Amino acid sequence: MSWNLVVATGWRQERLCMEELYRIGDIVGRRVEEVWFTGFDGLLTAKVEGDPVEFVKLLKDVVSSNYYIPRYILRATPIMVVVKTDLDEIQKAVGELAERYIAPQESFKIELKKRGVKFDRMSVIEYVAKAVNRKVNLTHPDKVVWIEMFPSRTGISVIKEEDNFSLMKNRSHE
């Protein structure tokens, strides 16, 4: 099970969100290969064909053009790599992604979403940040190290803030 998208929906809306995600895939011409329940209310993981960052961009384009407005997909976060939920593995993956996607002159911040894990939030952020040899900027970073932590697997991305999809943000920009 290797996913590359984390999708948030309303409470008890997972099944409808799942169907809508497949529909969006058809609309944007990118196959949604599989969708999984995470075991956490309102949260799904999915495997989409191709680059997940591009998939989210296509979703945003569909919404901003008013071609299709999702009812159940509230947020979508692209995931570049999935590792075991182990701090050393997470730190190693973050270091590799940061080296590849954050230029030496660029700044970053870490966004951590953790569910069902006992790790202390700040301890995780501080530990993982040691792998990123770039300047920190918590208010206007060039890139965001996005970490979606679940009990057994953790998804990681290095993206721009606007590479995430938020229905609320997309609809408020009209």
Side-chain angles (χ1 to χ4, degrees), residues 24-146:
I24 292 283
D26 291 343
I27 291 169
V28 301
R30 293 285 172 91
R31 198 163 76 82
V32 175
E33 296 171 12
E34 204 162 346
V35 183
W36 297 275
F37 292 103
T38 61
F40 296 92
D41 286 336
L43 215 54
L44 301 168
T45 54
K47 172 81 172 145
V48 298
E49 178 182 58
D51 180 5
V53 175
E54 185 63 27
F55 183 89
V56 171
K57 184 186 176 312
L58 293 168
L59 167 61
K60 290 169 72 170
D61 291 347
V62 164
V63 173
S64 50
S65 71
N66 281 326
Y67 180 79
Y68 181 83
I69 308 300
R71 291 184 56 195
Y72 304 105
I73 299 171
L74 302 181
R75 284 191 326 274
T77 302
I79 299 296
M80 295 174 165
V81 66
V82 176
V83 298
K84 196 170 95 194
T85 298
D86 169 84
L87 291 182
D88 292 332
E89 282 199 35
I90 295 167
Q91 185 188 54
K92 181 177 181 276
V94 165
E96 290 168 3
L97 285 173
E99 196 60 41
R100 205 160 135 202
Y101 293 103
I102 306 174
Q105 71 280 5
E106 288 184 315
S107 62
F108 80 101
K109 77 173 181 179
I110 293 176
E111 193 67 53
L112 171 66
K113 306 289 185 200
K114 65 185 195 74
R115 297 156 187 98
V117 291
K118 298 275 189 261
F119 296 115
D120 175 66
R121 181 180 161 66
M122 282 314 296
S123 300
V124 171
I125 291 172
E126 287 168 10
Y127 186 74
V128 168
K130 291 176 188 170
V132 186
N133 189 15
R134 303 290 187 262
K135 196 172 76 192
V136 173
N137 182 336
L138 299 178
T139 51
H140 300 292
D142 296 303
K143 299 283 173 60
V144 178
V145 175
W146 198 280

